[in-house]
Amino acid sequence: MATNSGGLSLLQQRQRAAFWFIAPMLAALFFVAAWPLLRTIWFSLTNTALSDLYGGEFIGFDNYLSVRVLESGRWIWRGTLVDPAWWNAVWNTVRFAFVSVFFETILGLIVALVLNAEFKGRGFVRAAILIPWAIPTIVSAKMWAWMLNDQFGILNDIMLNLGLIDQKIAWTASVDTAMYAVLMVDIWKTTPFMALLILAGLQMVPRDIYEAAKLDGVNPVKVFFKITLPLIRPALAVAIIFRMLDALRIFDLVYVLTPNSAATKTMSVISRENMIDFDKFAYGAAQSTLLFAIIAVFVSLYIWLGKVDLSGEGQK
Amino acid sequence: MTAQKLLSTVGFYALVVVIVVFSVFPFYYAIVTSFATGTELFKVNYLPKSFDWGNYESVLGGRNFLRSIVNSVFIATTTVVFALFLAVTASYALARVRFRGRGLLLMMILAVSMFPQIAVLAGLFELVRFLGIFNTPWAMIMSYVIFTLPFTVWVLTTFMRDLPVEIEEAAIVDGATPWIIITKVFLPLLWPALVTTGLLAFIGAWNEFLFALTFTSSETTRTVPVAIGLLSGASQQEIPWGPIMAASVIVTVPLIILVLIFQRKIVAGLTAGGVKG
């Protein structure tokens, strides 16, 4: 290669340029992500109030867990880790994440297999499934809140006419059904995304494999489980982890569709509620730090156990 | 055999119809509702019965909803332009230059985009207050960088990786610096990718709710999702469903049109996020 200015090799010159190209992005990310995260963790170790952000004192891990021994010898535990409302939110979030991702994966797989087949009107179907994805979450929540309305909702009407239910259900308000309502809307809205990710994986499977299987007279079900599924496993693994992370941090749908319902309150919702609405700023910060920790542990485990290559570097 | 084939064809198309109806029906029903007023609203109509623009008039007549649309357009556009500006150079470096720690850096960027936004809320709230931008569009513009920037860097990096090496080598032989390569050689090739990525980031910023809800305090500074989310009637029991549906249709129709126009590119952009093998 030609010699370059300043006696630097071409690679060194390019690496130096690369540094200056990346630096502004890293600075921006530090400013809006790393620094606020560190401050949140710091706040979680103080007794800061929303109205006086700089008046907090360091109190160690008291927001998480603290114990006080009364004179009578009784032990009083305090903090998020012994707060039943927090554990209810953890349970809601985990349940929501696993159930929604499970159904989205199964339904997404079905939709992707349909879209991978060649048939008339395939473009139309693909356009149709993009619609739920394109609708803002808040709008979906409102649309479904109306459809799920206990008195005038169309869903109760359809189910009554079909004889599936014998009286109108207050989907979003009732404790028993609120989680179903949230799951329903989330699955409706996010299955298209899942389907598109899986479809991309399906389209990488060479067509001649199917041809060969067909010639050998292999049962289509067997083809799916023995050929298709193993080949799209990497794509599926990535799609599932993306969805899982998204589901674990869910906020907007729950906040708008089932406001103030203990049956659906997730970790994000309860953290914000404490931080902003209840003036327990530091306590909420501790809860959001815990959510961050849970997600970090989950991702590490998943990548480690599944040997998922997220960076896409391995394929090159 | 033919009977079986016929049956499976019928079954297949039945499945197709079910998928389409499930996808489209809720939005269709929102449109039907948005044209119903008065008592018509409280009857379940499967087909449009009335065409009353009353709900649209009441939504657009209220000054604040138009204001929210302006806020959202301004915030989303500014965020996306800023993110793309930083992302183009960064993703060139990440995609085309070999250096130590590149894989780690990519993982870090992905981690930030997957981050629970609630985890930075307390810190960002402090930052927003400190900078004196609470209840202004700048609070949202700043905080939206946290998800638009990693996303645009990530997608543009995968696009840039796929550009042929020969073009770049030819430019290097001609003595082009990395800056020239980006602006003169790659950028013209990247326009389609930039449009797609920008559009996806725009949709993300347009739909954001948590930060917009927390960093605004008056009706005039709300973004569209917050305005719709908090649209309420005279009392708790009296939810104005008609106007809510009209507002929903107004903000969704442009998005759906954009998405349908850029359908193929969007699918490519979405899946570039990681599913490459």
PDB file of all heavy atoms in Angstrom, chain A residues 14-15 39-40 54 126 136 146 157-158 188 235 249 272 291 310, chain B residues 22 33 46 92 96 98 115 118-119 123 126 168 214 263 275:
ATOM      1  N   ARG A  14      -6.437   4.873   9.586  1.00  0.00           N
ATOM      2  CA  ARG A  14      -7.871   4.588   9.601  1.00  0.00           C
ATOM      3  C   ARG A  14      -8.376   4.403  11.021  1.00  0.00           C
ATOM      4  O   ARG A  14      -9.476   4.811  11.350  1.00  0.00           O
ATOM      5  CB  ARG A  14      -8.161   3.334   8.763  1.00  0.00           C
ATOM      6  CG  ARG A  14      -8.209   3.624   7.287  1.00  0.00           C
ATOM      7  CD  ARG A  14      -8.162   2.348   6.467  1.00  0.00           C
ATOM      8  NE  ARG A  14      -9.344   1.511   6.663  1.00  0.00           N
ATOM      9  CZ  ARG A  14     -10.510   1.724   6.082  1.00  0.00           C
ATOM     10  NH1 ARG A  14     -10.668   2.757   5.283  1.00  0.00           N
ATOM     11  NH2 ARG A  14     -11.523   0.925   6.274  1.00  0.00           N
ATOM     12  N   GLN A  15      -7.545   3.787  11.851  1.00  0.00           N
ATOM     13  CA  GLN A  15      -7.986   3.591  13.233  1.00  0.00           C
ATOM     14  C   GLN A  15      -8.096   4.918  13.967  1.00  0.00           C
ATOM     15  O   GLN A  15      -8.992   5.114  14.780  1.00  0.00           O
ATOM     16  CB  GLN A  15      -7.028   2.638  13.958  1.00  0.00           C
ATOM     17  CG  GLN A  15      -7.270   1.197  13.555  1.00  0.00           C
ATOM     18  CD  GLN A  15      -6.300   0.234  14.189  1.00  0.00           C
ATOM     19  OE1 GLN A  15      -5.267   0.645  14.696  1.00  0.00           O
ATOM     20  NE2 GLN A  15      -6.617  -1.046  14.137  1.00  0.00           N
ATOM     21  N   ARG A  39     -26.361   7.937  38.196  1.00  0.00           N
ATOM     22  CA  ARG A  39     -27.058   8.817  39.143  1.00  0.00           C
ATOM     23  C   ARG A  39     -28.262   8.106  39.764  1.00  0.00           C
ATOM     24  O   ARG A  39     -28.543   8.268  40.945  1.00  0.00           O
ATOM     25  CB  ARG A  39     -27.518  10.102  38.437  1.00  0.00           C
ATOM     26  CG  ARG A  39     -26.412  11.065  38.116  1.00  0.00           C
ATOM     27  CD  ARG A  39     -25.672  11.531  39.340  1.00  0.00           C
ATOM     28  NE  ARG A  39     -26.473  12.415  40.210  1.00  0.00           N
ATOM     29  CZ  ARG A  39     -26.041  12.890  41.370  1.00  0.00           C
ATOM     30  NH1 ARG A  39     -24.842  12.570  41.819  1.00  0.00           N
ATOM     31  NH2 ARG A  39     -26.816  13.667  42.086  1.00  0.00           N
ATOM     32  N   THR A  40     -28.981   7.317  38.937  1.00  0.00           N
ATOM     33  CA  THR A  40     -30.124   6.575  39.474  1.00  0.00           C
ATOM     34  C   THR A  40     -29.660   5.634  40.578  1.00  0.00           C
ATOM     35  O   THR A  40     -30.267   5.552  41.643  1.00  0.00           O
ATOM     36  CB  THR A  40     -30.815   5.762  38.355  1.00  0.00           C
ATOM     37  OG1 THR A  40     -31.234   6.657  37.337  1.00  0.00           O
ATOM     38  CG2 THR A  40     -32.015   5.009  38.889  1.00  0.00           C
ATOM     39  N   TYR A  54     -31.202  17.688  45.540  1.00  0.00           N
ATOM     40  CA  TYR A  54     -29.839  17.740  46.055  1.00  0.00           C
ATOM     41  C   TYR A  54     -29.786  17.689  47.579  1.00  0.00           C
ATOM     42  O   TYR A  54     -28.742  17.854  48.175  1.00  0.00           O
ATOM     43  CB  TYR A  54     -29.127  18.990  45.524  1.00  0.00           C
ATOM     44  CG  TYR A  54     -29.037  18.946  44.014  1.00  0.00           C
ATOM     45  CD1 TYR A  54     -29.935  19.647  43.217  1.00  0.00           C
ATOM     46  CD2 TYR A  54     -28.085  18.151  43.387  1.00  0.00           C
ATOM     47  CE1 TYR A  54     -29.880  19.567  41.839  1.00  0.00           C
ATOM     48  CE2 TYR A  54     -28.025  18.061  42.017  1.00  0.00           C
ATOM     49  CZ  TYR A  54     -28.924  18.760  41.244  1.00  0.00           C
ATOM     50  OH  TYR A  54     -28.870  18.674  39.890  1.00  0.00           O
ATOM     51  N   ARG A 126     -48.779  -9.209   3.908  1.00  0.00           N
ATOM     52  CA  ARG A 126     -47.651  -8.634   4.622  1.00  0.00           C
ATOM     53  C   ARG A 126     -47.934  -7.186   4.995  1.00  0.00           C
ATOM     54  O   ARG A 126     -47.599  -6.727   6.078  1.00  0.00           O
ATOM     55  CB  ARG A 126     -46.378  -8.736   3.790  1.00  0.00           C
ATOM     56  CG  ARG A 126     -45.167  -8.528   4.664  1.00  0.00           C
ATOM     57  CD  ARG A 126     -43.889  -8.757   3.927  1.00  0.00           C
ATOM     58  NE  ARG A 126     -43.749  -7.822   2.833  1.00  0.00           N
ATOM     59  CZ  ARG A 126     -42.674  -7.768   2.072  1.00  0.00           C
ATOM     60  NH1 ARG A 126     -41.680  -8.600   2.264  1.00  0.00           N
ATOM     61  NH2 ARG A 126     -42.592  -6.893   1.096  1.00  0.00           N
ATOM     62  N   PRO A 136     -49.192   3.426  17.090  1.00  0.00           N
ATOM     63  CA  PRO A 136     -48.529   3.721  18.364  1.00  0.00           C
ATOM     64  C   PRO A 136     -49.151   2.923  19.507  1.00  0.00           C
ATOM     65  O   PRO A 136     -50.368   2.689  19.521  1.00  0.00           O
ATOM     66  CB  PRO A 136     -48.792   5.212  18.566  1.00  0.00           C
ATOM     67  CG  PRO A 136     -49.071   5.744  17.208  1.00  0.00           C
ATOM     68  CD  PRO A 136     -49.677   4.634  16.420  1.00  0.00           C
ATOM     69  N   TRP A 146     -61.476   0.543  24.190  1.00  0.00           N
ATOM     70  CA  TRP A 146     -62.830   0.761  23.683  1.00  0.00           C
ATOM     71  C   TRP A 146     -63.467  -0.549  23.246  1.00  0.00           C
ATOM     72  O   TRP A 146     -64.622  -0.838  23.548  1.00  0.00           O
ATOM     73  CB  TRP A 146     -62.780   1.779  22.544  1.00  0.00           C
ATOM     74  CG  TRP A 146     -64.061   1.973  21.789  1.00  0.00           C
ATOM     75  CD1 TRP A 146     -64.230   1.853  20.450  1.00  0.00           C
ATOM     76  CD2 TRP A 146     -65.344   2.342  22.317  1.00  0.00           C
ATOM     77  NE1 TRP A 146     -65.518   2.112  20.104  1.00  0.00           N
ATOM     78  CE2 TRP A 146     -66.236   2.415  21.231  1.00  0.00           C
ATOM     79  CE3 TRP A 146     -65.824   2.609  23.593  1.00  0.00           C
ATOM     80  CZ2 TRP A 146     -67.576   2.744  21.383  1.00  0.00           C
ATOM     81  CZ3 TRP A 146     -67.160   2.930  23.750  1.00  0.00           C
ATOM     82  CH2 TRP A 146     -68.019   2.998  22.647  1.00  0.00           C
ATOM     83  N   ASP A 157     -69.791  -8.054  22.814  1.00  0.00           N
ATOM     84  CA  ASP A 157     -70.914  -8.267  21.900  1.00  0.00           C
ATOM     85  C   ASP A 157     -70.691  -9.521  21.046  1.00  0.00           C
ATOM     86  O   ASP A 157     -71.576 -10.378  20.928  1.00  0.00           O
ATOM     87  CB  ASP A 157     -71.068  -7.027  21.012  1.00  0.00           C
ATOM     88  CG  ASP A 157     -72.378  -7.039  20.261  1.00  0.00           C
ATOM     89  OD1 ASP A 157     -73.424  -6.901  20.921  1.00  0.00           O
ATOM     90  OD2 ASP A 157     -72.355  -7.207  19.032  1.00  0.00           O
ATOM     91  N   ILE A 158     -69.470  -9.616  20.470  1.00  0.00           N
ATOM     92  CA  ILE A 158     -69.161 -10.778  19.632  1.00  0.00           C
ATOM     93  C   ILE A 158     -69.254 -12.058  20.458  1.00  0.00           C
ATOM     94  O   ILE A 158     -69.886 -13.045  20.058  1.00  0.00           O
ATOM     95  CB  ILE A 158     -67.736 -10.647  19.036  1.00  0.00           C
ATOM     96  CG1 ILE A 158     -67.683  -9.489  18.033  1.00  0.00           C
ATOM     97  CG2 ILE A 158     -67.311 -11.945  18.352  1.00  0.00           C
ATOM     98  CD1 ILE A 158     -66.292  -9.181  17.531  1.00  0.00           C
ATOM     99  N   TRP A 188     -51.388  -8.975  20.071  1.00  0.00           N
ATOM    100  CA  TRP A 188     -51.896  -8.451  18.795  1.00  0.00           C
ATOM    101  C   TRP A 188     -50.878  -7.505  18.173  1.00  0.00           C
ATOM    102  O   TRP A 188     -50.597  -7.553  16.987  1.00  0.00           O
ATOM    103  CB  TRP A 188     -53.214  -7.714  19.037  1.00  0.00           C
ATOM    104  CG  TRP A 188     -53.720  -7.001  17.827  1.00  0.00           C
ATOM    105  CD1 TRP A 188     -54.342  -7.565  16.751  1.00  0.00           C
ATOM    106  CD2 TRP A 188     -53.634  -5.606  17.552  1.00  0.00           C
ATOM    107  NE1 TRP A 188     -54.651  -6.597  15.833  1.00  0.00           N
ATOM    108  CE2 TRP A 188     -54.230  -5.392  16.287  1.00  0.00           C
ATOM    109  CE3 TRP A 188     -53.112  -4.509  18.240  1.00  0.00           C
ATOM    110  CZ2 TRP A 188     -54.310  -4.126  15.713  1.00  0.00           C
ATOM    111  CZ3 TRP A 188     -53.198  -3.261  17.667  1.00  0.00           C
ATOM    112  CH2 TRP A 188     -53.788  -3.074  16.417  1.00  0.00           C
ATOM    113  N   ALA A 235     -31.952 -17.291  14.369  1.00  0.00           N
ATOM    114  CA  ALA A 235     -32.844 -16.143  14.161  1.00  0.00           C
ATOM    115  C   ALA A 235     -33.914 -16.093  15.240  1.00  0.00           C
ATOM    116  O   ALA A 235     -34.224 -15.039  15.793  1.00  0.00           O
ATOM    117  CB  ALA A 235     -33.495 -16.220  12.777  1.00  0.00           C
ATOM    118  N   ARG A 249     -39.598  -4.641  30.303  1.00  0.00           N
ATOM    119  CA  ARG A 249     -39.602  -3.227  30.682  1.00  0.00           C
ATOM    120  C   ARG A 249     -40.934  -2.557  30.352  1.00  0.00           C
ATOM    121  O   ARG A 249     -41.037  -1.338  30.374  1.00  0.00           O
ATOM    122  CB  ARG A 249     -38.453  -2.496  29.988  1.00  0.00           C
ATOM    123  CG  ARG A 249     -38.589  -2.459  28.479  1.00  0.00           C
ATOM    124  CD  ARG A 249     -37.406  -1.784  27.834  1.00  0.00           C
ATOM    125  NE  ARG A 249     -37.544  -1.799  26.394  1.00  0.00           N
ATOM    126  CZ  ARG A 249     -36.616  -1.388  25.549  1.00  0.00           C
ATOM    127  NH1 ARG A 249     -35.466  -0.965  26.010  1.00  0.00           N
ATOM    128  NH2 ARG A 249     -36.825  -1.415  24.270  1.00  0.00           N
ATOM    129  N   ARG A 272     -41.967   4.041  38.530  1.00  0.00           N
ATOM    130  CA  ARG A 272     -42.285   5.418  38.173  1.00  0.00           C
ATOM    131  C   ARG A 272     -43.301   6.013  39.147  1.00  0.00           C
ATOM    132  O   ARG A 272     -43.207   7.175  39.529  1.00  0.00           O
ATOM    133  CB  ARG A 272     -42.834   5.514  36.758  1.00  0.00           C
ATOM    134  CG  ARG A 272     -43.057   6.954  36.357  1.00  0.00           C
ATOM    135  CD  ARG A 272     -43.778   7.133  35.055  1.00  0.00           C
ATOM    136  NE  ARG A 272     -43.998   8.550  34.814  1.00  0.00           N
ATOM    137  CZ  ARG A 272     -44.977   9.253  35.348  1.00  0.00           C
ATOM    138  NH1 ARG A 272     -45.834   8.673  36.163  1.00  0.00           N
ATOM    139  NH2 ARG A 272     -45.107  10.534  35.074  1.00  0.00           N
ATOM    140  N   LEU A 291     -34.741  -3.505  38.686  1.00  0.00           N
ATOM    141  CA  LEU A 291     -35.203  -3.950  37.368  1.00  0.00           C
ATOM    142  C   LEU A 291     -34.022  -4.040  36.400  1.00  0.00           C
ATOM    143  O   LEU A 291     -33.876  -5.015  35.657  1.00  0.00           O
ATOM    144  CB  LEU A 291     -36.271  -2.988  36.823  1.00  0.00           C
ATOM    145  CG  LEU A 291     -36.699  -3.216  35.372  1.00  0.00           C
ATOM    146  CD1 LEU A 291     -37.268  -4.602  35.166  1.00  0.00           C
ATOM    147  CD2 LEU A 291     -37.725  -2.182  34.943  1.00  0.00           C
ATOM    148  N   LEU A 310     -25.052 -11.976  19.191  1.00  0.00           N
ATOM    149  CA  LEU A 310     -25.901 -10.819  18.901  1.00  0.00           C
ATOM    150  C   LEU A 310     -25.213  -9.791  18.036  1.00  0.00           C
ATOM    151  O   LEU A 310     -25.856  -9.059  17.298  1.00  0.00           O
ATOM    152  CB  LEU A 310     -26.338 -10.156  20.210  1.00  0.00           C
ATOM    153  CG  LEU A 310     -27.392 -10.899  21.029  1.00  0.00           C
ATOM    154  CD1 LEU A 310     -27.595 -10.191  22.339  1.00  0.00           C
ATOM    155  CD2 LEU A 310     -28.697 -10.969  20.276  1.00  0.00           C
TER     156      LEU A 310
ATOM    157  N   PHE B  22     -57.701 -10.320  11.872  1.00  0.00           N
ATOM    158  CA  PHE B  22     -57.184  -9.982  13.187  1.00  0.00           C
ATOM    159  C   PHE B  22     -56.296  -8.746  13.151  1.00  0.00           C
ATOM    160  O   PHE B  22     -56.335  -7.913  14.051  1.00  0.00           O
ATOM    161  CB  PHE B  22     -56.385 -11.163  13.761  1.00  0.00           C
ATOM    162  CG  PHE B  22     -57.187 -11.993  14.700  1.00  0.00           C
ATOM    163  CD1 PHE B  22     -57.845 -13.123  14.265  1.00  0.00           C
ATOM    164  CD2 PHE B  22     -57.297 -11.630  16.028  1.00  0.00           C
ATOM    165  CE1 PHE B  22     -58.599 -13.891  15.132  1.00  0.00           C
ATOM    166  CE2 PHE B  22     -58.045 -12.385  16.908  1.00  0.00           C
ATOM    167  CZ  PHE B  22     -58.704 -13.514  16.451  1.00  0.00           C
ATOM    168  N   THR B  33     -65.862   3.876  14.751  1.00  0.00           N
ATOM    169  CA  THR B  33     -66.266   4.601  15.957  1.00  0.00           C
ATOM    170  C   THR B  33     -66.022   6.097  15.831  1.00  0.00           C
ATOM    171  O   THR B  33     -66.814   6.904  16.315  1.00  0.00           O
ATOM    172  CB  THR B  33     -65.479   4.068  17.176  1.00  0.00           C
ATOM    173  OG1 THR B  33     -65.623   2.666  17.225  1.00  0.00           O
ATOM    174  CG2 THR B  33     -65.978   4.681  18.464  1.00  0.00           C
ATOM    175  N   TYR B  46     -71.075  -3.051  13.412  1.00  0.00           N
ATOM    176  CA  TYR B  46     -69.982  -3.734  12.736  1.00  0.00           C
ATOM    177  C   TYR B  46     -69.638  -3.035  11.418  1.00  0.00           C
ATOM    178  O   TYR B  46     -68.533  -3.109  10.930  1.00  0.00           O
ATOM    179  CB  TYR B  46     -70.335  -5.197  12.484  1.00  0.00           C
ATOM    180  CG  TYR B  46     -70.382  -5.988  13.764  1.00  0.00           C
ATOM    181  CD1 TYR B  46     -71.511  -5.985  14.571  1.00  0.00           C
ATOM    182  CD2 TYR B  46     -69.265  -6.711  14.172  1.00  0.00           C
ATOM    183  CE1 TYR B  46     -71.536  -6.691  15.757  1.00  0.00           C
ATOM    184  CE2 TYR B  46     -69.287  -7.420  15.364  1.00  0.00           C
ATOM    185  CZ  TYR B  46     -70.430  -7.407  16.150  1.00  0.00           C
ATOM    186  OH  TYR B  46     -70.444  -8.096  17.323  1.00  0.00           O
ATOM    187  N   TYR B  92     -19.730   3.915  10.152  1.00  0.00           N
ATOM    188  CA  TYR B  92     -18.645   3.655   9.187  1.00  0.00           C
ATOM    189  C   TYR B  92     -17.454   3.041   9.926  1.00  0.00           C
ATOM    190  O   TYR B  92     -16.920   2.010   9.531  1.00  0.00           O
ATOM    191  CB  TYR B  92     -18.215   4.944   8.479  1.00  0.00           C
ATOM    192  CG  TYR B  92     -16.940   4.776   7.696  1.00  0.00           C
ATOM    193  CD1 TYR B  92     -16.958   4.192   6.443  1.00  0.00           C
ATOM    194  CD2 TYR B  92     -15.713   5.166   8.230  1.00  0.00           C
ATOM    195  CE1 TYR B  92     -15.785   4.000   5.732  1.00  0.00           C
ATOM    196  CE2 TYR B  92     -14.537   4.980   7.531  1.00  0.00           C
ATOM    197  CZ  TYR B  92     -14.575   4.392   6.278  1.00  0.00           C
ATOM    198  OH  TYR B  92     -13.413   4.199   5.588  1.00  0.00           O
ATOM    199  N   ARG B  96     -16.375  -0.732   9.000  1.00  0.00           N
ATOM    200  CA  ARG B  96     -15.315  -0.875   8.004  1.00  0.00           C
ATOM    201  C   ARG B  96     -13.907  -0.830   8.550  1.00  0.00           C
ATOM    202  O   ARG B  96     -12.972  -1.112   7.811  1.00  0.00           O
ATOM    203  CB  ARG B  96     -15.449   0.220   6.924  1.00  0.00           C
ATOM    204  CG  ARG B  96     -16.831   0.450   6.424  1.00  0.00           C
ATOM    205  CD  ARG B  96     -17.398  -0.719   5.668  1.00  0.00           C
ATOM    206  NE  ARG B  96     -16.654  -1.076   4.501  1.00  0.00           N
ATOM    207  CZ  ARG B  96     -17.192  -1.691   3.446  1.00  0.00           C
ATOM    208  NH1 ARG B  96     -18.481  -1.955   3.422  1.00  0.00           N
ATOM    209  NH2 ARG B  96     -16.447  -2.029   2.426  1.00  0.00           N
ATOM    210  N   ARG B  98     -11.107  -2.182  11.210  1.00  0.00           N
ATOM    211  CA  ARG B  98     -10.830  -3.205  12.222  1.00  0.00           C
ATOM    212  C   ARG B  98     -10.066  -2.573  13.376  1.00  0.00           C
ATOM    213  O   ARG B  98      -9.063  -1.919  13.170  1.00  0.00           O
ATOM    214  CB  ARG B  98      -9.965  -4.321  11.622  1.00  0.00           C
ATOM    215  CG  ARG B  98     -10.694  -5.227  10.700  1.00  0.00           C
ATOM    216  CD  ARG B  98     -10.303  -6.699  10.962  1.00  0.00           C
ATOM    217  NE  ARG B  98     -11.326  -7.584  10.425  1.00  0.00           N
ATOM    218  CZ  ARG B  98     -12.283  -8.107  11.173  1.00  0.00           C
ATOM    219  NH1 ARG B  98     -12.336  -7.858  12.463  1.00  0.00           N
ATOM    220  NH2 ARG B  98     -13.184  -8.889  10.631  1.00  0.00           N
ATOM    221  N   PHE B 115     -31.935  -1.518  27.013  1.00  0.00           N
ATOM    222  CA  PHE B 115     -31.946  -1.016  28.350  1.00  0.00           C
ATOM    223  C   PHE B 115     -33.356  -0.686  28.850  1.00  0.00           C
ATOM    224  O   PHE B 115     -34.116  -0.073  28.115  1.00  0.00           O
ATOM    225  CB  PHE B 115     -31.254   0.277  28.074  1.00  0.00           C
ATOM    226  CG  PHE B 115     -30.404   0.818  29.069  1.00  0.00           C
ATOM    227  CD1 PHE B 115     -29.152   0.325  29.272  1.00  0.00           C
ATOM    228  CD2 PHE B 115     -30.870   1.903  29.799  1.00  0.00           C
ATOM    229  CE1 PHE B 115     -28.339   0.936  30.166  1.00  0.00           C
ATOM    230  CE2 PHE B 115     -30.047   2.490  30.683  1.00  0.00           C
ATOM    231  CZ  PHE B 115     -28.790   2.002  30.861  1.00  0.00           C
ATOM    232  N   ILE B 118     -36.747   2.920  32.352  1.00  0.00           N
ATOM    233  CA  ILE B 118     -37.054   3.367  33.706  1.00  0.00           C
ATOM    234  C   ILE B 118     -35.763   3.478  34.534  1.00  0.00           C
ATOM    235  O   ILE B 118     -35.682   4.294  35.448  1.00  0.00           O
ATOM    236  CB  ILE B 118     -38.059   2.389  34.365  1.00  0.00           C
ATOM    237  CG1 ILE B 118     -38.599   2.938  35.675  1.00  0.00           C
ATOM    238  CG2 ILE B 118     -37.453   1.037  34.615  1.00  0.00           C
ATOM    239  CD1 ILE B 118     -39.717   3.881  35.522  1.00  0.00           C
ATOM    240  N   ALA B 119     -34.732   2.694  34.164  1.00  0.00           N
ATOM    241  CA  ALA B 119     -33.493   2.692  34.951  1.00  0.00           C
ATOM    242  C   ALA B 119     -32.751   4.018  34.861  1.00  0.00           C
ATOM    243  O   ALA B 119     -31.949   4.334  35.720  1.00  0.00           O
ATOM    244  CB  ALA B 119     -32.586   1.548  34.511  1.00  0.00           C
ATOM    245  N   GLY B 123     -32.106   9.597  36.982  1.00  0.00           N
ATOM    246  CA  GLY B 123     -30.925  10.370  36.594  1.00  0.00           C
ATOM    247  C   GLY B 123     -31.235  11.394  35.522  1.00  0.00           C
ATOM    248  O   GLY B 123     -30.755  12.530  35.560  1.00  0.00           O
ATOM    249  N   GLU B 126     -33.098  14.366  36.929  1.00  0.00           N
ATOM    250  CA  GLU B 126     -32.167  15.307  37.550  1.00  0.00           C
ATOM    251  C   GLU B 126     -31.475  16.159  36.479  1.00  0.00           C
ATOM    252  O   GLU B 126     -31.373  17.380  36.595  1.00  0.00           O
ATOM    253  CB  GLU B 126     -31.122  14.545  38.365  1.00  0.00           C
ATOM    254  CG  GLU B 126     -30.158  15.469  39.094  1.00  0.00           C
ATOM    255  CD  GLU B 126     -28.832  14.804  39.402  1.00  0.00           C
ATOM    256  OE1 GLU B 126     -28.520  13.761  38.796  1.00  0.00           O
ATOM    257  OE2 GLU B 126     -28.110  15.340  40.254  1.00  0.00           O
ATOM    258  N   GLU B 168     -14.499   0.827  -1.717  1.00  0.00           N
ATOM    259  CA  GLU B 168     -13.695   1.529  -0.733  1.00  0.00           C
ATOM    260  C   GLU B 168     -12.214   1.431  -1.080  1.00  0.00           C
ATOM    261  O   GLU B 168     -11.472   2.413  -0.995  1.00  0.00           O
ATOM    262  CB  GLU B 168     -13.961   0.934   0.645  1.00  0.00           C
ATOM    263  CG  GLU B 168     -13.554   1.853   1.761  1.00  0.00           C
ATOM    264  CD  GLU B 168     -13.761   1.216   3.125  1.00  0.00           C
ATOM    265  OE1 GLU B 168     -14.359   0.129   3.183  1.00  0.00           O
ATOM    266  OE2 GLU B 168     -13.326   1.812   4.105  1.00  0.00           O
ATOM    267  N   THR B 214     -43.291  11.977  31.765  1.00  0.00           N
ATOM    268  CA  THR B 214     -42.604  12.417  32.970  1.00  0.00           C
ATOM    269  C   THR B 214     -42.021  13.819  32.838  1.00  0.00           C
ATOM    270  O   THR B 214     -41.962  14.565  33.815  1.00  0.00           O
ATOM    271  CB  THR B 214     -41.482  11.418  33.319  1.00  0.00           C
ATOM    272  OG1 THR B 214     -42.024  10.107  33.303  1.00  0.00           O
ATOM    273  CG2 THR B 214     -40.900  11.688  34.684  1.00  0.00           C
ATOM    274  N   GLN B 263     -42.769  -0.262   2.832  1.00  0.00           N
ATOM    275  CA  GLN B 263     -42.905  -1.625   3.337  1.00  0.00           C
ATOM    276  C   GLN B 263     -41.653  -2.474   3.257  1.00  0.00           C
ATOM    277  O   GLN B 263     -41.130  -2.937   4.264  1.00  0.00           O
ATOM    278  CB  GLN B 263     -43.989  -2.283   2.496  1.00  0.00           C
ATOM    279  CG  GLN B 263     -44.940  -3.113   3.255  1.00  0.00           C
ATOM    280  CD  GLN B 263     -45.649  -4.040   2.305  1.00  0.00           C
ATOM    281  OE1 GLN B 263     -45.287  -5.200   2.236  1.00  0.00           O
ATOM    282  NE2 GLN B 263     -46.631  -3.555   1.587  1.00  0.00           N
ATOM    283  N   VAL B 275     -30.790 -10.398  12.908  1.00  0.00           N
ATOM    284  CA  VAL B 275     -31.062 -11.700  12.322  1.00  0.00           C
ATOM    285  C   VAL B 275     -30.337 -11.807  10.999  1.00  0.00           C
ATOM    286  O   VAL B 275     -30.875 -11.503   9.955  1.00  0.00           O
ATOM    287  CB  VAL B 275     -32.566 -11.888  12.101  1.00  0.00           C
ATOM    288  CG1 VAL B 275     -32.866 -13.332  11.764  1.00  0.00           C
ATOM    289  CG2 VAL B 275     -33.312 -11.481  13.335  1.00  0.00           C
TER     290      VAL B 275
END
